[in-house]
């Protein structure tokens, strides 16, 4: 999955920092991101999977969206948005520094994870130089965060797949932290961890960390291996019910089996989402008398259905309405991206 | 109105201060640090700090059922020193704690605690 032909983002960062260069290290791929350097010191980083300074400040209500927009309009061209917010008294120096530090470490974790990296000389971020972070520390910390997550539960697919709370908790009594509650309440089966982080204005890494804990507790579904390299950051509307057959199946844990099962579910989703309901429904209602004697290995994808039973509600029902919040998040991100081009 | 660096400088001006840092306690990483650290390792100290804060926040003994009765600070004393942890409340999403390590003989626990309270508030107000 990771292209190995070019130097990884981490080693390129070390190199350009060693040469004390100024510019932007752009990492392609999923989720990708950009790390900005000034004379070899990291000043900011951004990634689609991590809310930026603007999202953090406005989603929390710390700054009115209007205030933030005004500062962006006035300061983007001179790369002095941070300076402006301080001068106008909207933020204290400490707040801005802490916010930028947090957002930078957060985004760098995603940006430096994988992908093809290229360095663009001389590019500055519109925020201006608020902090300066040692590139080696940033690299080291990004690596350490990967280990932290794997200590909770080693399933990186949780980090990108849509978050689906289990319909019934696997135990009688469940204790949640405030952050976990917030995530479960907003997880509608379609939002990815990145969507949730942007929506709630919570750090991307902290979101993933809590989701891995929830997965370890058995409170959200663990996504199985997927054969496609589908970027989850621009998603097609997903069938809410489509995941149901796979889970009722008690699929074996071996990755190979996981792929075969998920293929049958995911492939129709890449096309027209309204049509996806039909094959799934047909497949479920299909198990007839003729296959009942077959060894189960031959047709592992189908669920048994009692003759005369109704279709499961989630398959037979109309395709669910796309969630209004999703559009909003997408639009916000597009706006931010467009603004960065100016 | 001080920045992060100024805040840590002022923390080091607390009588008996040996080292200070601001730690992200979700990840156990010191986002800023100055002076000495236990065992001369700021990153290991930060990881330990994060463990302590998380333990205090997740164990029912310390978690209050009263709304807004949130964790303020944690104080650990050893024969040789005081370790003070003060949560830094920010409006935006962050999980930060101000950590100051004091020499037991020169440090005064009550003074240090009050100063840290002021510092943490000044940082974000």
């Amino acid at each position: 999955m990771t292209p190995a032909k070019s130097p990884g983002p981490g080693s390129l960062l070390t190199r350009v920092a060693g040469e004390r260069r100024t510019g932007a290290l752009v990492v392609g791929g999923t989720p990708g991101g950009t790390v900005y350097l000034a004379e070899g010191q990291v000043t900011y980083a951004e990634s689609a999977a991590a809310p930026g300074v603007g999202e953090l400040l406005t989603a929390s209500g710390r700054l009115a969206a209007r205030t933030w927009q005004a500062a962006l309009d006035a300061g983007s061209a001179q790369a002095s948005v941070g300076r402006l917010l301080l001068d106008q008294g909207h933020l204290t120096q400490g707040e801005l520094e802490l916010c930028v530090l947090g957002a930078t470490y957060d985004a760098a974790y995603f940006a430096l994870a994988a992908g093809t990296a290229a360095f663009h000389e001389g590019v500055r971020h519109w925020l201006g130089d608020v902090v300066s972070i040692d590139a080696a520390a940033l690299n080291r910390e990004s690596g350490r965060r990967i280990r932290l997550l794997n200590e909770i539960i080693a399933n990186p697919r949780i980090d990108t797949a849509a978050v689906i709370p289990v319909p019934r908790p696997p135990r009688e009594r469940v204790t949640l932290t405030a952050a976990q509650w917030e995530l479960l309440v907003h997880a509608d089966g379609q939002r990815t961890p990145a969507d949730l982080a942007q929506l709630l204005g919570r750090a991307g890494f902290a979101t993933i960390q809590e989701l891995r804990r929830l997965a370890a507790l058995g409170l959200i579904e663990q996504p199985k291996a997927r054969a496609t390299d589908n970027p989850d950051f621009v998603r097609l509307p997903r069938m809410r019910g489509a995941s149901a057959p796979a889970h009722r199946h008690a699929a074996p844990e071996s990755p190979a089996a996981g792929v075969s099962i998920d293929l049958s579910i995911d492939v129709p989703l890449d096309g027209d989402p309204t049509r996806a309901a039909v094959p799934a429904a047909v497949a479920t209602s299909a198990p007839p008398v003729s296959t009942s004697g077959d060894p189960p290995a031959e047709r592992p994808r189908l669920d048994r259905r009692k003759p005369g039973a109704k279709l499961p509600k989630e398959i037979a029902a109309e395709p669910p309405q796309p969630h209004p919040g999703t559009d909003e998040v997408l639009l916000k991100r597009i706006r931010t991206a467009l603004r960065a081009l100016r | 109105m001080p920045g992060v660096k100024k805040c840590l400088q002022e923390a080091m001006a607390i009588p008996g201060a040996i080292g200070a840092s601001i730690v992200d306690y979700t990840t156990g990483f010191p986002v800023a640090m100055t002076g000495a650290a236990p065992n001369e390792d700021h990153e290991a100290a930060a990881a330990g700090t994060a463990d302590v804060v998380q333990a205090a926040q997740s164990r029912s003994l310390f978690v209050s059922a009263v709304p807004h009765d949130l964790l303020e600070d944690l104080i650990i004393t050893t024969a040789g020193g005081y370790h003070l942890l003060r949560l830094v409340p920010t409006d935006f999403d962050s999980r930060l704690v101000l950590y100051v390590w004091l020499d037991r003989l020169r440090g005064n626990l009550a003074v240090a605690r009050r100063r840290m309270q002021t510092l943490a508030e000044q940082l974000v107000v």
Side-chain angles (χ1 to χ4, degrees), chain A residues 56-57 60 62 92-95 97-99 101 105 140-141 144-145 148 201-203 205-206 209 213, chain B residues 1-5 22 24 26-29 31 43 47 54 88 90-93 95-96 123-125:
Chain A
L56 288 175
L57 290 172
S60 61
R62 180 63 187 85
T92 69
Q93 178 85 29
E95 267 179 312
E97 285 180 12
L98 291 176
C99 191
L101 281 170
Y105 277 108
R140 205 167 51 237
E141 174 61 4
R144 204 178 65 91
R145 290 186 176 197
L148 280 180
R202 299 250 172 225
F205 179 81
Q209 201 178 26
R213 288 192 183 125
Chain B
M1 283 274 184
V4 170
K5 204 178 248 174
I22 296 177
D24 179 342
T26 42
T27 57
F29 183 74
V31 294
E43 294 191 8
Q54 281 182 5
V88 181
T90 55
D91 287 337
F92 56 87
D93 181 53
R95 286 148 298 268
L96 297 168
L123 196 56
V124 291
V125 173

Side-chain angles (χ1 to χ4, degrees), chain A residues 51-109:
Chain A
V53 172
E55 281 91 23
L56 288 175
L57 290 172
T58 51
S60 61
R62 180 63 187 85
L63 286 186
R66 214 169 8 149
T67 313
W68 173 253
Q69 187 61 47
L72 268 187
D73 292 343
S76 286
Q78 296 90 34
S80 62
V81 173
R83 187 81 261 148
L84 265 175
L85 286 169
L86 292 181
D87 290 348
Q88 293 171 356
H90 293 301
L91 291 175
T92 69
Q93 178 85 29
E95 267 179 312
L96 182 64
E97 285 180 12
L98 291 176
C99 191
V100 173
L101 281 170
T104 303
Y105 277 108
D106 192 30
Y109 162 75

Side-chain angles (χ1 to χ4, degrees), chain A residues 207-279:
Chain A
T207 303
I208 286 177
Q209 201 178 26
E210 292 297 356
L211 288 173
R212 292 241 193 159
R213 288 192 183 125
L214 286 172
L217 289 169
L219 296 177
I220 61 169
E221 307 272 8
Q222 283 208 46
K224 302 288 191 304
R226 296 183 49 181
T228 50
D229 267 354
N230 231 359
D232 268 306
F233 292 88
V234 180
R235 285 162 302 109
L236 296 166
R238 189 176 293 247
M239 291 298 301
R240 199 182 296 213
S243 62
H247 299 301
R248 279 191 283 115
H249 222 283
E253 281 306 311
S254 80
V259 170
S260 75
I261 288 171
D262 254 277
L263 260 179
S264 67
I265 294 144
D266 277 344
V267 164
L269 294 181
D270 294 336
D272 183 359
T274 51
R275 247 187 306 153
V278 180

Side-chain angles (χ1 to χ4, degrees), chain A residues 1-5 113-115:
Chain A
M1 209 198 278
T2 314
K5 53 184 181 353

